[in-house]
Short mmCIF file of all heavy atoms in Angstrom, two decimals:
data_model
loop_
_atom_site.label_atom_id
_atom_site.label_comp_id
_atom_site.label_asym_id
_atom_site.label_seq_id
_atom_site.Cartn_x
_atom_site.Cartn_y
_atom_site.Cartn_z
N ILE V 26 89.25 92.40 104.42
CA ILE V 26 88.18 91.47 104.03
C ILE V 26 87.13 92.19 103.20
O ILE V 26 86.68 91.69 102.17
CB ILE V 26 87.56 90.81 105.28
CG1 ILE V 26 88.57 89.87 105.93
CG2 ILE V 26 86.28 90.05 104.92
CD1 ILE V 26 88.16 89.37 107.30
N VAL V 27 86.75 93.39 103.64
CA VAL V 27 85.75 94.17 102.89
C VAL V 27 86.29 94.53 101.50
O VAL V 27 85.57 94.44 100.50
CB VAL V 27 85.35 95.44 103.67
CG1 VAL V 27 84.51 96.38 102.83
CG2 VAL V 27 84.60 95.06 104.94
N ALA V 28 87.55 94.91 101.42
CA ALA V 28 88.16 95.24 100.12
C ALA V 28 88.17 94.04 99.19
O ALA V 28 87.91 94.17 97.99
CB ALA V 28 89.57 95.78 100.32
N LEU V 29 88.44 92.88 99.74
CA LEU V 29 88.48 91.68 98.92
C LEU V 29 87.08 91.28 98.45
O LEU V 29 86.89 90.90 97.30
CB LEU V 29 89.11 90.54 99.72
CG LEU V 29 89.62 89.34 98.96
CD1 LEU V 29 90.67 89.75 97.95
CD2 LEU V 29 90.21 88.33 99.91
N LEU V 30 86.10 91.38 99.34
CA LEU V 30 84.73 90.99 98.98
C LEU V 30 84.06 91.97 98.03
O LEU V 30 83.18 91.58 97.27
CB LEU V 30 83.88 90.84 100.25
CG LEU V 30 84.25 89.67 101.16
CD1 LEU V 30 83.39 89.69 102.42
CD2 LEU V 30 84.09 88.35 100.43
N THR V 31 84.45 93.23 98.08
CA THR V 31 83.82 94.24 97.24
C THR V 31 84.75 94.69 96.11
O THR V 31 84.70 95.84 95.69
CB THR V 31 83.41 95.47 98.08
OG1 THR V 31 84.58 96.04 98.66
CG2 THR V 31 82.40 95.11 99.14
N SER V 32 85.56 93.79 95.63
CA SER V 32 86.53 94.18 94.60
C SER V 32 85.88 94.59 93.29
O SER V 32 86.51 95.25 92.48
CB SER V 32 87.52 93.04 94.36
OG SER V 32 86.86 91.88 93.97
N ALA V 33 84.62 94.26 93.07
CA ALA V 33 83.92 94.70 91.87
C ALA V 33 83.36 96.12 92.04
O ALA V 33 82.95 96.74 91.06
CB ALA V 33 82.81 93.74 91.51
N CYS V 34 83.33 96.62 93.24
CA CYS V 34 82.88 98.00 93.51
C CYS V 34 84.12 98.86 93.69
O CYS V 34 84.71 98.88 94.77
CB CYS V 34 82.03 98.05 94.77
SG CYS V 34 80.62 96.95 94.74
N ILE V 35 84.50 99.58 92.66
CA ILE V 35 85.80 100.22 92.62
C ILE V 35 86.00 101.22 93.77
O ILE V 35 87.06 101.24 94.39
CB ILE V 35 86.06 100.88 91.26
CG1 ILE V 35 87.51 101.35 91.17
CG2 ILE V 35 85.11 102.02 90.99
CD1 ILE V 35 87.95 101.73 89.79
N TYR V 36 85.03 102.03 94.06
CA TYR V 36 85.24 103.07 95.05
C TYR V 36 85.36 102.50 96.46
O TYR V 36 86.28 102.85 97.19
CB TYR V 36 84.12 104.11 94.99
CG TYR V 36 84.04 104.79 93.65
CD1 TYR V 36 82.94 104.63 92.82
CD2 TYR V 36 85.10 105.56 93.19
CE1 TYR V 36 82.88 105.24 91.58
CE2 TYR V 36 85.05 106.17 91.95
CZ TYR V 36 83.95 106.01 91.16
OH TYR V 36 83.89 106.60 89.94
N LEU V 37 84.47 101.62 96.83
CA LEU V 37 84.50 101.03 98.16
C LEU V 37 85.75 100.19 98.37
O LEU V 37 86.42 100.27 99.41
CB LEU V 37 83.24 100.20 98.41
CG LEU V 37 83.10 99.59 99.80
CD1 LEU V 37 83.04 100.68 100.85
CD2 LEU V 37 81.87 98.73 99.86
N SER V 38 86.11 99.41 97.38
CA SER V 38 87.27 98.54 97.50
C SER V 38 88.57 99.32 97.60
O SER V 38 89.44 98.98 98.40
CB SER V 38 87.32 97.59 96.31
OG SER V 38 88.44 96.76 96.40
N VAL V 39 88.71 100.36 96.80
CA VAL V 39 89.94 101.16 96.84
C VAL V 39 90.07 101.88 98.17
O VAL V 39 91.16 101.92 98.76
CB VAL V 39 89.98 102.15 95.65
CG1 VAL V 39 91.10 103.16 95.80
CG2 VAL V 39 90.15 101.39 94.34
N ILE V 40 88.99 102.42 98.68
CA ILE V 40 89.03 103.12 99.96
C ILE V 40 89.36 102.15 101.10
O ILE V 40 90.25 102.40 101.91
CB ILE V 40 87.70 103.86 100.22
CG1 ILE V 40 87.57 105.04 99.25
CG2 ILE V 40 87.62 104.35 101.66
CD1 ILE V 40 86.21 105.69 99.26
N CYS V 41 88.64 101.02 101.16
CA CYS V 41 88.88 100.06 102.24
C CYS V 41 90.26 99.43 102.14
O CYS V 41 90.94 99.25 103.15
CB CYS V 41 87.81 98.97 102.22
SG CYS V 41 86.19 99.54 102.72
N GLY V 42 90.71 99.11 100.94
CA GLY V 42 92.03 98.54 100.76
C GLY V 42 93.14 99.50 101.17
O GLY V 42 94.10 99.12 101.85
N SER V 43 93.00 100.75 100.77
CA SER V 43 94.01 101.75 101.12
C SER V 43 94.05 101.99 102.63
O SER V 43 95.14 102.04 103.22
CB SER V 43 93.72 103.07 100.40
OG SER V 43 93.72 102.88 99.01
N LEU V 44 92.89 102.14 103.23
CA LEU V 44 92.85 102.33 104.69
C LEU V 44 93.38 101.10 105.42
O LEU V 44 94.04 101.23 106.45
CB LEU V 44 91.43 102.65 105.14
CG LEU V 44 90.93 104.05 104.85
CD1 LEU V 44 89.47 104.18 105.25
CD2 LEU V 44 91.77 105.09 105.54
N GLY V 45 93.10 99.92 104.90
CA GLY V 45 93.60 98.69 105.51
C GLY V 45 95.12 98.63 105.51
O GLY V 45 95.74 98.23 106.49
N ILE V 46 95.74 99.05 104.41
CA ILE V 46 97.19 99.07 104.32
C ILE V 46 97.77 100.08 105.30
O ILE V 46 98.72 99.79 106.04
CB ILE V 46 97.65 99.39 102.89
CG1 ILE V 46 97.31 98.21 101.97
CG2 ILE V 46 99.13 99.70 102.83
CD1 ILE V 46 97.51 98.50 100.50
N ILE V 47 97.18 101.26 105.34
CA ILE V 47 97.67 102.31 106.25
C ILE V 47 97.55 101.86 107.70
O ILE V 47 98.49 102.01 108.49
CB ILE V 47 96.91 103.63 106.00
CG1 ILE V 47 97.30 104.19 104.63
CG2 ILE V 47 97.19 104.64 107.10
CD1 ILE V 47 96.43 105.33 104.16
N LEU V 48 96.39 101.32 108.09
CA LEU V 48 96.20 100.89 109.47
C LEU V 48 97.12 99.73 109.84
O LEU V 48 97.60 99.65 110.97
CB LEU V 48 94.74 100.51 109.72
CG LEU V 48 93.76 101.68 109.77
CD1 LEU V 48 92.35 101.16 109.96
CD2 LEU V 48 94.12 102.66 110.87
N ALA V 49 97.37 98.84 108.91
CA ALA V 49 98.29 97.72 109.19
C ALA V 49 99.69 98.24 109.47
O ALA V 49 100.36 97.75 110.39
CB ALA V 49 98.31 96.74 108.02
N LEU V 50 100.13 99.21 108.71
CA LEU V 50 101.47 99.75 108.92
C LEU V 50 101.57 100.61 110.18
O LEU V 50 102.59 100.61 110.86
CB LEU V 50 101.91 100.54 107.68
CG LEU V 50 102.07 99.71 106.41
CD1 LEU V 50 102.39 100.60 105.23
CD2 LEU V 50 103.12 98.64 106.59
N ILE V 51 100.50 101.34 110.49
CA ILE V 51 100.50 102.16 111.70
C ILE V 51 100.41 101.29 112.95
O ILE V 51 100.96 101.65 114.00
CB ILE V 51 99.33 103.17 111.66
CG1 ILE V 51 99.60 104.24 110.61
CG2 ILE V 51 99.13 103.83 113.01
CD1 ILE V 51 98.45 105.20 110.41
N SER V 52 99.75 100.15 112.87
CA SER V 52 99.49 99.33 114.06
C SER V 52 100.76 98.77 114.69
O SER V 52 100.74 98.39 115.85
CB SER V 52 98.56 98.17 113.71
OG SER V 52 99.23 97.23 112.90
N ARG V 53 101.84 98.72 113.96
CA ARG V 53 103.06 98.18 114.57
C ARG V 53 103.66 99.12 115.60
O ARG V 53 104.44 98.71 116.44
CB ARG V 53 104.08 97.82 113.51
CG ARG V 53 104.69 98.99 112.83
CD ARG V 53 105.67 98.55 111.79
NE ARG V 53 106.16 99.74 111.11
CZ ARG V 53 107.39 99.93 110.77
NH1 ARG V 53 108.28 99.01 111.01
NH2 ARG V 53 107.75 101.03 110.16
N GLY V 54 103.30 100.39 115.57
CA GLY V 54 103.80 101.34 116.55
C GLY V 54 105.30 101.52 116.44
O GLY V 54 105.83 101.72 115.36
N SER V 55 105.98 101.39 117.56
CA SER V 55 107.43 101.59 117.55
C SER V 55 108.19 100.28 117.34
O SER V 55 109.41 100.28 117.29
CB SER V 55 107.87 102.22 118.87
OG SER V 55 107.53 101.37 119.94
N GLU V 56 107.47 99.17 117.21
CA GLU V 56 108.12 97.88 117.00
C GLU V 56 108.54 97.73 115.55
O GLU V 56 108.03 98.41 114.67
CB GLU V 56 107.18 96.74 117.40
CG GLU V 56 106.83 96.74 118.87
CD GLU V 56 105.90 95.61 119.23
OE1 GLU V 56 105.79 94.66 118.44
OE2 GLU V 56 105.28 95.70 120.29
N GLN V 57 109.47 96.85 115.31
CA GLN V 57 109.98 96.64 113.95
C GLN V 57 109.15 95.64 113.15
O GLN V 57 109.18 95.66 111.93
CB GLN V 57 111.44 96.14 114.01
CG GLN V 57 112.40 97.16 114.59
CD GLN V 57 112.49 98.41 113.73
OE1 GLN V 57 112.45 98.32 112.51
NE2 GLN V 57 112.58 99.56 114.37
N THR V 58 108.44 94.75 113.82
CA THR V 58 107.68 93.71 113.13
C THR V 58 106.19 93.94 113.27
O THR V 58 105.74 94.62 114.18
CB THR V 58 108.02 92.32 113.69
OG1 THR V 58 107.68 92.29 115.08
CG2 THR V 58 109.50 92.01 113.52
N LEU V 59 105.45 93.36 112.35
CA LEU V 59 103.99 93.43 112.39
C LEU V 59 103.44 92.24 113.15
O LEU V 59 104.02 91.15 113.11
CB LEU V 59 103.42 93.42 110.97
CG LEU V 59 103.73 94.63 110.09
CD1 LEU V 59 103.27 94.36 108.66
CD2 LEU V 59 103.07 95.87 110.62
N SER V 60 102.30 92.44 113.79
CA SER V 60 101.64 91.32 114.44
C SER V 60 100.97 90.46 113.37
O SER V 60 100.88 90.84 112.20
CB SER V 60 100.60 91.83 115.45
OG SER V 60 99.55 92.48 114.77
N LEU V 61 100.47 89.31 113.76
CA LEU V 61 99.84 88.39 112.82
C LEU V 61 98.61 89.03 112.19
O LEU V 61 98.39 88.93 110.98
CB LEU V 61 99.48 87.08 113.51
CG LEU V 61 98.83 86.02 112.62
CD1 LEU V 61 99.80 85.62 111.50
CD2 LEU V 61 98.41 84.82 113.41
N ARG V 62 97.79 89.70 112.99
CA ARG V 62 96.60 90.36 112.46
C ARG V 62 96.98 91.46 111.47
O ARG V 62 96.30 91.65 110.47
CB ARG V 62 95.77 90.96 113.58
CG ARG V 62 94.95 89.95 114.33
CD ARG V 62 94.05 90.62 115.31
NE ARG V 62 93.33 89.62 116.06
CZ ARG V 62 92.66 89.88 117.15
NH1 ARG V 62 92.64 91.10 117.63
NH2 ARG V 62 92.03 88.92 117.78
N SER V 63 98.04 92.18 111.77
CA SER V 63 98.48 93.24 110.86
C SER V 63 98.95 92.65 109.53
O SER V 63 98.65 93.20 108.47
CB SER V 63 99.62 94.05 111.47
OG SER V 63 99.20 94.72 112.62
N LYS V 64 99.67 91.54 109.60
CA LYS V 64 100.14 90.89 108.37
C LYS V 64 98.96 90.41 107.54
O LYS V 64 98.93 90.59 106.32
CB LYS V 64 101.06 89.73 108.70
CG LYS V 64 102.41 90.15 109.21
CD LYS V 64 103.25 88.93 109.54
CE LYS V 64 104.56 89.34 110.19
NZ LYS V 64 105.36 88.17 110.57
N VAL V 65 97.98 89.80 108.19
CA VAL V 65 96.80 89.30 107.48
C VAL V 65 96.02 90.47 106.88
O VAL V 65 95.60 90.42 105.72
CB VAL V 65 95.90 88.46 108.42
CG1 VAL V 65 94.57 88.15 107.77
CG2 VAL V 65 96.62 87.19 108.83
N GLY V 66 95.85 91.55 107.65
CA GLY V 66 95.17 92.73 107.14
C GLY V 66 95.89 93.35 105.96
O GLY V 66 95.27 93.77 104.98
N LEU V 67 97.21 93.41 106.04
CA LEU V 67 98.01 93.96 104.95
C LEU V 67 97.88 93.11 103.69
O LEU V 67 97.67 93.62 102.59
CB LEU V 67 99.48 94.05 105.39
CG LEU V 67 100.45 94.70 104.43
CD1 LEU V 67 100.11 96.17 104.23
CD2 LEU V 67 101.87 94.56 104.95
N ILE V 68 97.96 91.81 103.84
CA ILE V 68 97.86 90.90 102.70
C ILE V 68 96.47 90.96 102.07
O ILE V 68 96.33 91.03 100.85
CB ILE V 68 98.23 89.46 103.12
CG1 ILE V 68 99.72 89.38 103.43
CG2 ILE V 68 97.84 88.45 102.05
CD1 ILE V 68 100.14 88.10 104.11
#
C-alpha cells in the first residue's frame, strides 16, 4: 500500500515495493501456496 501511494517518490516506493515482494514470498513458509494477505501484498 505504501509503495502504491508513494509511487511518485522513487526511493521510498522502490524500497517498500521490493521489501513487500520479499516478505510476501517469505511469508508462505514451507507451504506451497500464498495466503490471501500475501497475495494482496504481492500484487
Side-chain angles (χ1 to χ4, degrees):
I26 292 169
V27 170
L29 198 59
L30 292 176
T31 61
S32 58
C34 304
I35 189 167
Y36 300 115
L37 183 61
S38 179
V39 169
I40 290 170
C41 290
S43 301
L44 285 175
I46 291 171
I47 291 169
L48 288 178
L50 295 175
I51 290 175
S52 71
R53 71 181 176 139
S55 61
E56 296 180 18
Q57 295 296 323
T58 61
L59 294 172
S60 67
L61 181 62
R62 282 186 183 166
S63 296
K64 288 178 185 177
V65 170
L67 185 65
I68 291 169

